[in-house]
């Protein structure tokens, strides 16, 4: 995994949470994947409280301004989350439109 600033980690986690919530169905596989990403990013449950207060546009801007390799890896994480439950929902895809 690439090295990210704390702000970038928060943005990635926020967008992943938005993807999970987009179709209003939270699958066990999504939770498992989110937990594994949180562990890799060394984020805690206390960080989630802060992350949930962020705004999507702010987080999207952070991802858009990442270095190319960082951004590509983040987008792969988002795509993995979108497809992890075996179903690609347009509402989930809409979260990352524009990246």
């Amino acid at each position: 995994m690439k090295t990210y600033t704390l702000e970038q980690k928060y943005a990635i986690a926020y967008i992943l949470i938005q993807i999970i919530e987009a179709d209003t169905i939270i699958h066990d596989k999504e939770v498992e994947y989110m937990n594994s990403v949180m562990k890799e990013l060394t984020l805690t449950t206390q960080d989630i409280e802060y992350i949930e207060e962020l705004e999507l546009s702010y987080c999207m801007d952070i991802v858009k301004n990442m270095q190319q390799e960082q951004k590509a890896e983040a987008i792969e994480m988002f795509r993995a989350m979108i497809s992890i439950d075996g179903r690609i929902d347009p509402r989930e895809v809409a979260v990352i439109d524009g990246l």
Side-chain angles (χ1 to χ4, degrees):
M1 179 168 282
K2 303 289 179 215
T3 302
Y4 296 99
T5 67
L6 187 57
E7 182 178 63
Q8 290 170 330
K9 291 177 183 183
Y10 286 168
I12 291 167
Y14 179 87
I15 293 170
L16 288 171
I17 291 168
Q18 296 307 301
I19 292 168
I20 290 172
E21 295 176 346
D23 66 358
T24 68
I25 302 167
I26 300 174
H27 295 275
D28 290 341
K29 288 182 179 182
E30 290 172 328
V31 173
E32 289 173 21
Y33 183 69
M34 184 67 188
N35 288 338
S36 71
V37 170
M38 293 287 291
K39 186 176 180 178
E40 284 188 52
L41 294 175
T42 62
L43 295 174
T44 66
T45 53
Q46 290 82 14
D47 291 317
I48 289 290
E49 293 175 19
Y50 174 78
I51 291 166
E52 289 177 339
E53 300 299 319
L54 298 174
E55 296 288 330
L56 181 59
S57 60
Y58 171 75
C59 294
M60 295 291 276
D61 286 343
I62 291 170
V63 173
K64 286 178 186 177
N65 291 313
M66 287 180 181
Q67 295 175 356
Q68 187 66 26
E69 289 179 5
Q70 290 174 311
K71 182 178 174 180
E73 184 178 63
I75 289 172
E76 284 306 311
M77 285 186 256
F78 304 149
R79 288 183 179 150
M81 181 63 84
I82 288 169
S83 63
I84 198 107
D85 61 4
R87 198 174 136 259
I88 298 176
D89 188 292
R91 294 171 290 188
E92 294 173 333
V93 175
V95 172
I96 64 166
D97 279 350
L99 287 178

